Amino acid sequence: MNDTLAGWLQVLALIAVLAASYRPLGDYLAHLLTTGKHLRAERFVYRLAGVDGDADQKWSVYLRGVLAFSAVSVVFLYGFLRLQHHLMLSLGFPGIGPGQSFNTAASFVTNTNWQSYSGESAMGHLVQMSGLAVQNFVSAAVGIAVVATLIRGFTRNRTDRVGNFWVDLTRVVWRLLLPLCVVFAIVFVASGMVENFHAVHTVTTIAGQHQGITGGPVASQEAVKELGTNGGGFYNANSAHPFENPNPFTNLVEIYLMLVIGFSLPRTFGAMVGDHRQGYAIVAVMGLIWAASVALITVNELHSVSSSAGHLAGGMMEGKEQRFGIWGSALFAASTTLTSTGAVNSFHDSFSPGGGGMTIFNMMLGEIAPGGTGSGLYGILILAVVAVFVAGLMVGRTPEYLGKKLGGREMKFASLYILTTPAIVLIGAGVAMSLPGERASMLNSGPHGFSEVLYAFTSAANNNGSAFAGIGVNTDWYNTALGLAMLFGRFLPMIFVLALAGSLARQQPVPVTAGTLPTHRPQFVGLLTGVVLIVVGLTYFPALALGPLAEGLH
């Protein structure tokens, strides 16, 4: 079988299993977020935490729960990392330094999973399991909880209540993430992925050199790493490492896991608002953007012309695994940068200017195709609000979306959401480029070097976590700056989403009339796609022109 046929087959197989998962998983999530019944284990958690599982909260109280839980998580994980050398299963590794501990704690709590360290040579098994992996579960659950409040804002009327954060968080972990991760961890182990408690073993290579190989509970962490769109790797090479991603089958399963919840949540949205056509419209936009990104990256990597000797000798295989080839690498790269996962099975720094530029652009779009667990859906719903507002301006009518009027208050929240992340990215990259010491961290000069810095802040602010792998970021300045970018990029948008949810929930629904914009038809799909590309994408065009576009023209 030639590479082209194999590439097409894996893309079609992925689309088929995602389509098969859309309805059952989406409906299950809708039931999970709306049922009034609590499991016995959940009631035990509520009693332990002193929470009334049957009480709804105002959006401001819900927000305090999100921020308080996340703040405690940052402090706990920071302490865990600093005290690693006192813990069992530390494998003899020392505690992590203060700057790197702050960066790592902020990274995993915000679902970014940016790593300025090599996992196999820095983290013991207990920290990996009880520190990092726990945050993989709860940070993903927080994203789904927040989008649930926005959907409730559309479905509830004349109320200031949008749900209960502790209930949403507990249910998503207990009923969704844990069961699926157990199943797929078993699949990974059966497929050759490592799962043990081995320490570092020194072996002699075929070249006669000595190399330390670390085992560990990899498969169990890999499942939630992808399913929760986390991305932090047990090993420095991430999913390019054969212990984390042994073969093309596990590669395809990993891509499926990072996409499945994001692509199923529009079904949840449609079910909760009582109109499945709304979910089909949203998932159509997600699918169009995802398919275009996969196609553009694949074409660039297959046909790009480069003067690099490595590229001339091996096509565009530099930085890519022979096990996966160009098709498997491009599919993984597009999916990971569109979902805030951040896992990599190839190094984006070695991609062609067009392919590498697309990975940056994917994150700049806000990772809404399908995006992170929860964050992708609330991101595209914010853009849907903007699209409806733009359409209302065109016809001179007060815009309405799902029976709710979009006035000045709602549009302020939507606008602040859209402007926050670009401001963090562009200010952060600009400051880094203005400081000689931070420019020295670039391993390349010219446009490619700028792309490395731009990628780092884009990845951090959008809570992606992948890196161009051509920049040294384990410095006090980068650990602090990128850590702050992750925190602001995660929680400032959540504030605006929850405030918008509260504003919508207080409204009385307006009836549908002949002048109401249909938001389930192909015209709206086209309008929303255009808003995503123009309103969001063009914000970054000058920065892209200085980086990957300039490199491509050169």
Side-chain angles (χ1 to χ4, degrees):
M1 183 183 299
N2 62 49
D3 289 346
T4 301
L5 178 58
W8 275 109
L9 287 177
Q10 69 177 333
V11 172
L12 294 175
L14 178 62
I15 293 172
V17 292
L18 288 172
S21 305
Y22 174 76
R23 182 168 182 172
L25 184 57
D27 287 345
Y28 174 71
L29 268 166
H31 170 74
L32 184 156
L33 295 171
T34 55
T35 182
K37 296 181 179 180
H38 306 292
L39 300 180
R40 183 176 300 177
E42 293 168 350
R43 290 188 181 278
F44 173 75
V45 173
Y46 302 152
R47 286 197 300 271
L48 197 64
V51 172
D52 182 0
D54 297 314
D56 266 0
Q57 299 171 331
K58 298 179 181 179
W59 77 265
S60 56
V61 177
Y62 200 104
L63 173 63
R64 287 201 295 271
V66 171
L67 296 179
F69 177 77
S70 300
V72 170
S73 297
V74 169
V75 173
F76 173 79
L77 187 53
Y78 177 86
F80 217 14
L81 295 166
R82 296 284 288 132
L83 299 173
Q84 174 179 234
H85 54 296
H86 295 300
L87 304 174
M88 61 181 182
L89 298 177
S90 66
L91 307 184
F93 293 138
I96 309 299
Q100 197 169 47
S101 291
F102 166 72
N103 182 277
T104 304
S107 174
F108 278 78
V109 171
T110 58
N111 199 240
T112 309
N113 302 82
W114 171 274
Q115 294 171 287
S116 61
Y117 60 88
S118 299
E120 67 268 43
S121 59
M123 301 293 180
H125 293 337
L126 186 64
V127 169
Q128 292 269 22
M129 293 186 300
S130 300
L132 306 185
V134 167
Q135 290 306 317
N136 285 349
F137 280 97
V138 295
S139 65
V142 167
I144 297 176
V146 171
V147 78
T149 66
L150 182 57
I151 299 173
R152 293 182 189 121
F154 287 110
T155 60
R156 296 185 177 184
N157 308 310
R158 290 186 172 181
T159 180
D160 58 358
R161 311 288 164 158
V162 293
N164 187 311
F165 169 68
W166 307 107
V167 171
D168 292 338
L169 177 74
T170 306
R171 284 183 176 179
V172 171
V173 171
W174 277 103
R175 302 194 197 184
L176 176 71
L177 298 177
L178 272 173
L180 287 177
C181 287
V182 168
V183 171
F184 282 99
I186 295 171
V187 171
F188 284 147
V189 171
S191 303
M193 202 173 290
V194 171
E195 182 73 17
N196 56 46
F197 288 101
H198 292 173
V200 179
H201 291 281
T202 302
V203 299
T204 303
T205 67
I206 58 175
Q209 303 297 316
H210 296 291
Q211 178 180 350
I213 298 179
T214 307
V218 179
S220 54
Q221 187 161 320
E222 197 71 16
V224 69
K225 157 189 163 180
E226 309 295 4
L227 186 67
T229 61
N230 295 284
F234 196 95
Y235 298 98
N236 186 48
N238 209 281
S239 289
H241 197 291
F243 286 3
E244 281 198 46
N245 196 1
N247 51 60
F249 171 73
T250 58
N251 190 63
L252 192 62
V253 174
E254 288 188 16
I255 298 171
Y256 166 76
L257 287 180
M258 68 175 78
L259 293 170
V260 65
I261 292 180
F263 270 128
S264 298
L265 276 171
R267 173 75 182 188
T268 303
F269 169 63
M272 290 179 68
V273 300
D275 186 355
H276 287 301
R277 298 175 301 174
Q278 303 294 335
Y280 292 138
I282 296 298
V283 81
V285 177
M286 290 178 170
L288 285 172
I289 295 172
W290 176 81
S293 177
V294 171
L296 288 171
I297 294 177
T298 303
V299 168
N300 270 282
E301 298 310 294
L302 286 172
H303 303 294
S304 179
V305 177
S306 172
S307 60
S308 166
H311 290 170
L312 292 174
M316 294 305 293
M317 281 301 296
E318 180 189 355
K320 299 182 178 67
E321 277 288 309
Q322 291 286 346
R323 291 172 294 148
F324 312 131
I326 289 176
W327 284 80
S329 301
L331 182 59
F332 201 107
S335 300
T336 194
T337 51
L338 280 169
T339 58
S340 84
T341 306
V344 293
N345 74 347
S346 57
F347 288 98
H348 301 171
D349 189 49
S350 296
F351 276 34
S352 65
M358 274 304 303
T359 62
I360 302 176
F361 187 67
N362 287 344
M363 295 184 289
M364 289 175 169
L365 289 179
E367 297 165 330
I368 43 83
T373 50
S375 61
L377 181 59
Y378 67 63
I380 201 168
L381 289 179
I382 293 289
L383 290 166
V385 166
V386 174
V388 172
F389 182 75
V390 170
L393 292 179
M394 292 178 179
V395 298
R397 177 184 169 87
T398 302
E400 305 161 9
Y401 188 40
L402 300 177
K404 298 297 178 75
K405 287 188 175 182
L406 304 176
R409 180 181 176 84
E410 290 75 24
M411 292 314 302
K412 287 175 184 175
F413 292 138
S415 299
L416 288 170
Y417 177 96
I418 291 172
L419 293 173
T420 296
T421 306
I424 297 170
V425 172
L426 298 176
I427 292 173
V431 171
M433 292 302 297
S434 69
L435 300 175
E438 313 321 320
R439 288 203 303 272
S441 294
M442 300 188 308
L443 303 185
N444 293 275
S445 59
H448 193 81
F450 174 71
S451 294
E452 292 170 354
V453 176
L454 181 64
Y455 193 110
F457 280 95
T458 303
S459 177
N462 286 280
N463 303 129
N464 183 273
S466 63
F468 236 30
I471 181 173
V473 291
N474 189 19
T475 66
D476 288 341
W477 191 88
Y478 270 114
N479 278 327
T480 303
L482 293 174
L484 292 174
M486 297 172 208
L487 293 170
F488 290 138
R490 174 73 163 178
F491 296 114
L492 284 179
M494 281 186 175
I495 293 173
F496 304 133
V497 170
L498 291 170
L500 177 60
S503 179
L504 293 171
R506 284 195 295 268
Q507 291 188 26
Q508 174 69 18
V510 295
V512 176
T513 66
T516 302
L517 173 69
T519 54
H520 60 273
R521 295 179 180 173
Q523 295 94 322
F524 183 72
V525 172
L527 174 63
L528 180 52
T529 304
V531 166
V532 170
L533 296 176
I534 296 172
V535 175
V536 181
L538 291 185
T539 304
Y540 294 98
F541 183 78
L544 290 169
L546 294 173
L549 293 179
E551 183 184 1
L553 291 173
H554 177 73

